[in-house]
Amino acid sequence: MKGSSKVVDALNAGLTIELTAINQYFCQAKMCHNWALHILGDKHYGESMGEMKHAEWLIDRILFLEGVPEIARYDVIRVGDDVKSQFEYDLTLEMKGCDTYREGIKVCYDENDPGTRDLLEKILVQSEEHVDWLESQLELIEKIGIQNYLMSQMGPHVEDAH
């Protein structure tokens, strides 16, 4: 089914965010595990896999609309050199993603594509949930201090628990 080029462009804009996030969160997961912050490492890993699922949905929709997925486009990947900077970089990326999806949803209304709009709304809701979680972690760091926060993230690695 041939789709609107504007809609395909909006999908590719979202794909850029997702591909960036996959790499950023995956690297952060490995860093946190290296620092023995296994709870947080597992959370970053799960987020990376969630972003991979979003990328899959976007690619599938682009192909359905007979477009070409632009998989070589990335935003700047910022991993941070400590947990607080990781959260700040992630928050910036997720907020950019939310803005990108809101703009894409408007394009879908204008181009009369409710199927793509539904997909973008689903991803937007999940992105907003991640924004909320990141904001909560940064607030928690401010309330209890970074050392106490880091201690709370030192539980067993999920793979070690089996």
Side-chain angles (χ1 to χ4, degrees):
M1 179 177 124
K2 186 70 174 160
S4 157
S5 63
K6 291 178 184 177
V7 170
V8 171
D9 288 346
L11 288 163
N12 271 314
L15 183 58
T16 296
I17 297 293
E18 300 302 334
L19 294 173
T20 302
I22 290 166
N23 287 283
Q24 185 165 310
Y25 302 160
F26 184 78
C27 186
Q28 290 171 346
K30 294 300 183 179
M31 292 169 77
C32 285
H33 285 301
N34 186 57
W35 298 331
L37 302 172
H38 298 303
I39 294 170
L40 187 54
D42 290 340
K43 172 67 175 170
H44 282 309
Y45 182 81
E47 290 295 340
S48 178
M49 294 302 107
E51 304 298 356
M52 191 174 295
K53 182 54 79 177
H54 292 168
E56 179 182 25
W57 295 340
L58 293 168
I59 289 169
D60 287 346
R61 189 68 184 179
I62 292 166
L63 293 172
F64 175 76
L65 297 175
E66 299 180 21
V68 177
E70 296 179 13
I71 60 168
R73 247 178 23 182
Y74 289 87
D75 201 341
V76 178
I77 298 170
R78 296 176 177 92
V79 295
D81 56 2
D82 59 48
V83 168
K84 187 174 182 205
S85 66
Q86 288 179 346
F87 288 154
E88 291 166 345
Y89 288 141
D90 295 354
L91 183 58
T92 298
L93 181 60
E94 287 294 329
M95 290 177 75
K96 183 175 183 179
C98 289
D99 290 342
T100 299
Y101 290 120
R102 286 184 194 103
E103 291 169 20
I105 291 164
K106 287 179 191 173
V107 168
C108 291
Y109 274 111
D110 294 343
E111 296 296 308
N112 195 26
D113 186 339
T116 302
R117 185 194 71 231
D118 286 347
L119 172 63
L120 297 182
E121 287 173 346
K122 180 178 179 179
I123 296 172
L124 173 61
V125 167
Q126 292 177 3
S127 297
E128 289 173 337
E129 289 168 354
H130 193 193
V131 165
D132 183 59
W133 184 85
L134 289 162
E135 289 173 339
S136 295
Q137 301 316 294
L138 288 165
E139 288 172 16
L140 193 55
I141 288 169
E142 289 303 312
K143 286 179 183 174
I144 67 172
I146 189 66
Q147 296 306 320
N148 289 326
Y149 182 83
L150 294 175
M151 285 179 56
S152 75
Q153 300 301 311
M154 294 176 68
H157 187 336
V158 169
E159 289 179 7
D160 295 340
H162 296 125

